[in-house]
Amino acid sequence: MSKTVSFETLVRPDTPNTYLVLPAGLNSTAEADKSSPVFGEPAEALYQRLKMLAGTKDGWTIAAQDDEKMQLEIVATTKLLKFKDDVSVRVCPSTDGTQTSELAVYSRSRLGKYDFKANQKRVHSLLSELKGNAAATA
């Protein structure tokens, strides 16, 4: 995986093995499963925390990053069967002029038709960890 996913032109497969979170202000061709929470920090600060978390998370490898877009492409390897799944994460500054930010996150399985909510759990875990770390560093 060498280039970053375009959230604006994203086309999701018909299979139920993906999960998508989008900021409210991001226009995308894909329908989100959930809206992004708002993080009480500027986008650059959230992006730095995201890179640090992704780089140290067990089973995660940063496959590509675009610092200008503040986007990471991550390969997440499952513990038990060692399946490789792809996770794209972009930090988006809030459009209302405040020093807050949101995330676009797209997690998808490479193999199989069903993921038994693994992608949803992965995304919710990432969002929870970033929310928790923000409170710990505030």
Side-chain angles (χ1 to χ4, degrees):
M1 183 184 335
S2 59
K3 66 178 212 168
T4 58
V5 164
S6 171
F7 286 95
E8 293 80 5
T9 59
L10 184 63
V11 176
R12 295 173 72 179
D14 293 333
T15 55
N17 61 353
T18 68
Y19 194 77
L20 178 64
V21 170
L22 292 174
L26 184 76
N27 290 323
S28 177
T29 54
E31 184 176 334
D33 295 300
K34 181 179 179 167
S35 292
S36 172
V38 176
F39 293 85
E41 62 190 304
E44 183 59 40
L46 180 58
Y47 181 58
Q48 293 306 320
R49 287 194 314 106
L50 172 65
K51 285 197 305 187
M52 190 172 9
L53 177 63
T56 60
K57 198 161 174 59
D58 189 36
W60 283 29
T61 304
I62 298 173
Q65 71 183 52
D66 184 330
D67 291 337
E68 192 171 307
K69 286 183 184 176
M70 291 190 282
Q71 184 164 331
L72 298 179
E73 299 297 330
I74 300 162
V75 176
T77 305
T78 62
K79 287 182 182 181
L80 184 60
L81 297 175
K82 304 297 182 196
F83 290 128
K84 294 188 183 308
D85 297 333
D86 297 310
V87 184
S88 301
V89 187
R90 183 191 304 165
V91 177
C92 303
S94 290
T95 57
D96 62 5
T98 62
Q99 290 293 311
T100 59
S101 50
E102 298 176 78
L103 292 176
V105 186
Y106 181 45
S107 182
R108 62 247 180 236
S109 302
R110 290 185 183 180
L111 300 173
K113 183 175 180 178
Y114 298 101
D115 67 350
F116 304 98
K117 297 196 178 207
N119 288 296
Q120 178 182 350
K121 290 174 190 171
R122 179 181 298 118
V123 171
H124 286 204
S125 174
L126 173 65
L127 295 175
S128 292
E129 287 180 64
L130 285 170
K131 279 287 196 184
N133 289 344
T137 58

